[in-house]
Amino acid sequence: MAKIVIAAQIDLDPAKRAEALTSAKPHIDAALAQDGCNHYEWSADGSDPARVNVFEEWESEEALAHHFANAAYAGMRDHIGTFGLTGAASKKYRVDAEGPVYNAQGEATEAFD
């Protein structure tokens, strides 16, 4: 069973982004409470005043399928769409390996040992 990671960028009306994220807390909390949800974060991009960055980590495809069929997903989708959505791009990744960025010597490494 492989973990699933979702990375997305959502562009909103910059004047509404802060309100969109603040008022999304109930939807975010609902997703975080779902079985198989390891991480679910929506945050303001520090370089683009319109952009929201999304990072999700799910234990399995089954957990993600449950999320997509759940009110937490539909609620967030419908919620974010009311804040001047101007664009969105999202991808999902099936994780076949994971490991720490830093090795025992404190050096960043690309290896998955």
Side-chain angles (χ1 to χ4, degrees), residues 1-5 34-39 56-65 93-95 98:
M1 178 169 23
K3 288 183 182 177
I4 306 297
V5 170
Q34 291 179 309
D35 287 340
C37 181
N38 295 335
H39 196 88
E56 303 177 29
E57 181 184 305
W58 297 89
E59 278 297 317
S60 64
E61 290 179 40
E62 293 77 18
L64 181 58
Y93 304 87
R94 190 172 32 236
V95 179
E98 65 180 271

Side-chain angles (χ1 to χ4, degrees), residues 8 16 22 25 49 53 61-62 65-66 73 80 89-90 93 95 97:
K16 297 179 179 179
T22 301
K25 186 169 177 10
N53 292 312
E61 290 179 40
E62 293 77 18
H66 174 67
Y73 170 77
I80 208 71
S90 60
Y93 304 87
V95 179

Side-chain angles (χ1 to χ4, degrees), residues 71-87:
Y73 170 77
M76 183 57 126
R77 180 199 62 215
D78 295 346
H79 169 80
I80 208 71
T82 66
F83 288 92
L85 183 70
T86 60

